[in-house]
Amino acid sequence: MKNNPIIKVENLSKQYRLGTIGLSSFLQDLRGFGQKMGIPRRTSNATKDFLALDKISFSVEEGEVLGIIGHNGAGKSTLLKILSRITEPTSGKAFLRGRVASLLEVGTGFHAEMTGRENIYLNGALYGLSRKEIKLQLESIIDFSEVEEFIDTPVKRYSSGMYVRLAFAVAAHLQPEILIVDEVLAVGDVDFQKRCVNKMKEVSRSGRTILFVSHNLQTIRSICRNCMVLKNGKISFSGSTQDAINHYVSNHTIDTGHQGVARFVKDTERHGSGEVLIEEIRIYNSENKITGILHYREPFSIEFKCRVIEPVSQLTMILSLCDEGDAFNGLSYTSDQFPDPCPDTGSIIFRIASTTILLPGRHFLLPCLSNMNRAIDQIQRALDFQVLSNSKKGPSFPAPDLRGSFLLAGEWEINLSNPPKE
């Protein structure tokens, strides 16, 4: 006898009307006000409809951990909001059996004026738990969140990291049948993210169901057996996690405009608090020419141009490399942090001149600006380049099928360029 799925979605669609507030557009409201004032009405273009989800269908079995990946705007957050009963679908149906706990945005479900302890009881009540049931989990929640010192402080005084730690602890410990988690975990520090991943594995082993959205493909791979790829509001792939990641990666390309160069704008798919943004990346070969193709054993350098939006302390650049399957290849830290205080405005250029002998194949850069406590700007697969097996000088690579990890060794330079004051 086939099990009844704990989540079943049938032909689910969600349509938004861009430029609207409530049932009418802001422009329409202005026109209505103008008509009352005697201003003649002129015709204009109609508002534009946007289909965030387009007739998607899928089911999730009890105890399954389903990963959901896709570009920004693919419909991931819209889907989770519908399943969390935050917004209604335009058409279609979603059936869920059991209590649902959602962690979609920092502070979701918290009352700013209430203390952390009061918010734990409030969220437990919203999940349908009695005060006695909540009290049994209270100490575990506080210990996991590591906010014991501030548990009787109004949460409006919490940092974003404290918000996330407490919100996740509440959602994971109050024993929901379905746990829905969005990319919000990226706000926390590395140690907290590891503990969250371990906790989600523990929740899954207890027979509960998890829907997990993340741009961190390594995390998706570590906890999800199955994965779904969304693209333009539709399911472009659904299957095993590795097959889903391969599908996503093969369709995830960045238009660099020039081989060896990638430029990023404000709405580039990125993660972090955003005080400093990566604007451009360039790869230079041994002749100091911009290129996307290097030879085996060839020295090279990578330049990152960053724009300061707001001052931040202890700024540093962390660079990782991965292969086409998003498998971790190498990591390099800056040798020194940027000297404090960080300037109010201007450009910062990080440049690493590396003598590392990279293995032949396609490599992807994963840069991250950080202050060691949180990500400030992180771009997945920001720029790719190719390493050929033949060498300009000396022997070619002897084992073309060899793959492995390495330390990206080299010297870092950090330069500041302030724009002229007007």
Side-chain angles (χ1 to χ4, degrees), residues 127-243:
Y127 294 151
L129 300 176
S130 68
R131 187 175 183 85
K132 183 178 180 181
E133 289 174 312
I134 300 168
K135 192 173 182 179
L136 290 174
Q137 296 291 335
L138 183 63
E139 291 304 318
S140 297
I141 292 171
I142 295 174
D143 289 343
F144 187 92
S145 65
E146 297 181 339
V147 296
E148 182 176 4
E149 185 179 355
F150 308 97
I151 196 64
D152 293 309
T153 301
V155 296
K156 67 180 181 181
R157 298 193 176 97
Y158 284 17
S159 67
S160 58
M162 292 166 64
Y163 253 115
V164 170
R165 291 202 302 271
L166 185 58
F168 181 86
V170 170
H173 284 82
L174 293 183
Q175 301 180 349
E177 281 73 30
I178 302 171
L179 178 61
I180 298 177
V181 183
D182 205 343
E183 188 64 47
V184 68
L185 294 185
V187 178
D189 56 37
V190 174
D191 178 65
F192 173 71
Q193 291 177 29
K194 289 180 180 178
R195 289 194 292 121
C196 287
V197 170
N198 291 333
K199 186 62 181 179
M200 283 191 284
K201 290 179 180 178
E202 180 185 323
V203 170
S204 174
R205 286 193 295 268
S206 69
R208 293 176 174 81
T209 305
I210 300 175
L211 295 187
F212 182 50
V213 167
S214 178
H215 287 88
N216 189 323
L217 302 185
Q218 294 287 13
T219 304
I220 288 284
R221 183 186 285 114
S222 69
I223 66 174
C224 304
R225 179 176 296 178
N226 296 309
C227 187
M228 185 169 67
V229 183
L230 289 183
K231 184 177 181 180
N232 299 327
K234 296 183 178 181
I235 299 174
S236 65
F237 184 88
S238 182
S240 71
T241 297
Q242 189 56 57
D243 289 342

Side-chain angles (χ1 to χ4, degrees), residues 38-302:
I39 301 174
R41 181 172 181 175
R42 296 188 300 176
T43 59
S44 63
N45 296 331
T47 55
K48 183 180 178 182
D49 291 336
F50 172 69
L51 201 58
L53 293 175
D54 187 7
K55 296 181 181 178
I56 68 170
S57 300
F58 66 95
S59 62
V60 183
E61 298 299 324
E62 188 172 355
E64 183 179 349
V65 182
L66 177 66
I68 304 175
I69 58 179
H71 303 298
N72 285 346
K76 306 184 298 298
S77 295
T78 300
L79 173 61
L80 296 193
K81 287 178 180 178
I82 291 175
L83 296 180
S84 301
R85 301 293 191 250
I86 293 173
T87 186
E88 291 291 326
T90 303
S91 60
K93 297 179 181 179
F95 302 93
L96 294 88
R97 295 189 294 109
R99 291 180 305 205
V100 179
S102 303
L103 187 58
L104 305 183
E105 297 176 6
V106 175
T108 299
F110 280 5
H111 191 293
E113 299 296 334
M114 297 174 69
T115 67
R117 188 187 305 273
E118 291 168 340
N119 272 292
I120 293 174
Y121 280 100
L122 172 63
N123 276 258
L126 292 174
Y127 294 151
L129 300 176
S130 68
R131 187 175 183 85
K132 183 178 180 181
E133 289 174 312
I134 300 168
K135 192 173 182 179
L136 290 174
Q137 296 291 335
L138 183 63
E139 291 304 318
S140 297
I141 292 171
I142 295 174
D143 289 343
F144 187 92
S145 65
E146 297 181 339
V147 296
E148 182 176 4
E149 185 179 355
F150 308 97
I151 196 64
D152 293 309
T153 301
V155 296
K156 67 180 181 181
R157 298 193 176 97
Y158 284 17
S159 67
S160 58
M162 292 166 64
Y163 253 115
V164 170
R165 291 202 302 271
L166 185 58
F168 181 86
V170 170
H173 284 82
L174 293 183
Q175 301 180 349
E177 281 73 30
I178 302 171
L179 178 61
I180 298 177
V181 183
D182 205 343
E183 188 64 47
V184 68
L185 294 185
V187 178
D189 56 37
V190 174
D191 178 65
F192 173 71
Q193 291 177 29
K194 289 180 180 178
R195 289 194 292 121
C196 287
V197 170
N198 291 333
K199 186 62 181 179
M200 283 191 284
K201 290 179 180 178
E202 180 185 323
V203 170
S204 174
R205 286 193 295 268
S206 69
R208 293 176 174 81
T209 305
I210 300 175
L211 295 187
F212 182 50
V213 167
S214 178
H215 287 88
N216 189 323
L217 302 185
Q218 294 287 13
T219 304
I220 288 284
R221 183 186 285 114
S222 69
I223 66 174
C224 304
R225 179 176 296 178
N226 296 309
C227 187
M228 185 169 67
V229 183
L230 289 183
K231 184 177 181 180
N232 299 327
K234 296 183 178 181
I235 299 174
S236 65
F237 184 88
S238 182
S240 71
T241 297
Q242 189 56 57
D243 289 342
I245 289 175
N246 292 340
H247 174 87
Y248 175 67
V249 167
S250 65
N251 291 278
H252 186 100
T253 56
I254 295 176
D255 182 12
T256 63
H258 185 285
Q259 197 174 50
V261 179
R263 297 180 178 88
F264 310 98
V265 293
K266 190 174 182 180
D267 59 352
T268 294
E269 188 170 344
R270 60 173 91 220
H271 310 284
S273 51
E275 291 94 338
V276 185
L277 299 178
I278 300 170
E279 288 191 323
E280 184 174 291
I281 303 177
R282 297 185 178 195
I283 298 176
Y284 295 87
N285 62 12
S286 57
E287 299 173 352
N288 206 33
K289 293 181 179 179
I290 298 174
T291 182
I293 299 177
L294 300 171
H295 291 265
Y296 174 58
R297 303 179 66 90
E298 181 178 12
F300 64 97
S301 60
I302 308 172

